[in-house]
Amino acid sequence: MKNKSRVLGATLAAGVLLVAAACGNGSSGGGGGGGPADEVVVAYSQTVDSLDPHQFKSDAGYGVVGNIYGTLLQEKYDASKDGILDYSGQSAPYLAESATWNAAKTVLTFVLKDGLKFGNGDPVTSEDVVWSLQRALSDVGYVQAIGQWLNITDAKTQIVATDDRTVELRVTHYSPLIEQLLAFQIFAILDKSAVEAAAGADDPWGAKFLATDATPTGPYVVESQIAGKSVTLKKNPDFTAADIGDAPARVVVQSMPDAQQAFLALQNGAVDLVYGITPDIAQAVQKDDKLHLYDLKYSTIAYVGFNNNDPALKDVKVRQALSYLMPYDALRSDVMNGFAGAAYGAVPYPMQDSLDETGDKVAYPTDVAKAEQLLAEAGHENLSLTLSVPASDTTLSEDAVFIQSALKKGGVNVKINKMSDADYNANLGKMQMYLDTWYSWGQDSVYQMFFLLTTGTFTNYTNFSNAEVDDLVKRAMATTDTAERHELSQQAQQIIIDQAPWAFLYTQDYLVGARKGVEGITHSNDANLRFEQLRVTK
């Protein structure tokens, strides 16, 4: 999960270009002219729960995995601007030396850089790459759900090594999104022999081993771990895929679930940055002259999901009425303290192909009279509903109170059901109404709609089903024509807005609190820091 959200691995943005033998990283600015700090401490609100690239993880888990493993391709970042490195819209070879398509664009050939090694010093071979990609697309974790986006139907026959340094992906048809996917950490390159040595008959892909142990191919390796508290990384001495000479020598990933404790640690210099802070802490950071707030704009959407199978919510007029009762302005200003944008449908700005090109549009402006009219037409003038929320998410819990009060003005009584994370996750798809957030890596509209709102998809927690949306999304997935894809996407978005399977509340900014002198914050597609880009002046 990411941003306290449901997240499915990766998605994609347009404009990816592959450049043979290019460097995958941009350059970052220095901190006040001083040299890089020997050690940087990064605080997260969660523990590092898994080191397996193919399992769902906490933000902290994704953060570590994204820095200890290398991928064939990596995002490029624009030069540092106000301490932030923005994704450039392109990816380039990283562990690969080159990546080229054949004339028909049905075979993507990777040639590995010479001399690549795992953290234990063993060489990285094309056999490791093939096995790693096949593992990703196996049933070992959630990444197999993304296989269709690579246009690979049989990983055993379509991902092959032709020599020790060359790997071919033989796809059914071209998609410009394939390159972007392969830059995400879910397609990390693992050590086949090391994992297989630890695997067993009941665990053929070595999931138990990789949950706590790593076979690094990235810029950092795990130096030490304190279960439930911290993971310390050090530079990988055998990493040659990119120049990490100026990167911090050591990064401590610290678990600090108490937001106030993390803020105090930032103030007193015990940590250098806190990743994913709450809106109230963000305001406190802004008021401290020794600290700096990095406000990263993403399309993370907060929404109320309506169970479309529930008798009280089957009628589209009821869902529309509830949407007209939502207190959008209050949620953005009083709960999010202004660190939020408008959400026009399920594909909000700045997501690719969004109907909203500015981030200012609201699908259902608050209108109590309109809501009352729709409820009357639907024959539901006195509704009583239950709104479920994960108790661990303080922002969503506060949202729930505002929503309860707002809906009461329209004659709708709402009971708030605060649930443990385990109960909440186990009941997704069954709850009458629920509050949640979602971020799709890469911010691609078609991917977002496919996984959240097409019939029968396992992450379609509202049970929404619309044959026209299904068809439009399917056609958008199949086409290689950018203009056609854009049009199909926008048609599907409008139908979803009209059908109101969710109340589209707002988009959340991702907030990073840092002490002055911290730069190189990566505004990446997967919402993770690239530790080798950090520059900290002590």
Side-chain angles (χ1 to χ4, degrees), residues 3 169 174 212 339 385:
N3 304 6
L169 268 65
Y174 173 74
T212 56
F339 300 113
L385 302 170

Side-chain angles (χ1 to χ4, degrees), residues 2 44 58-68 185 528-529 531:
K2 291 290 300 167
Y44 289 81
S58 66
D59 284 6
Y62 279 111
V64 169
V65 167
N67 285 281
I68 61 176
Q185 57 181 270
N528 276 319
L529 292 173
F531 295 154

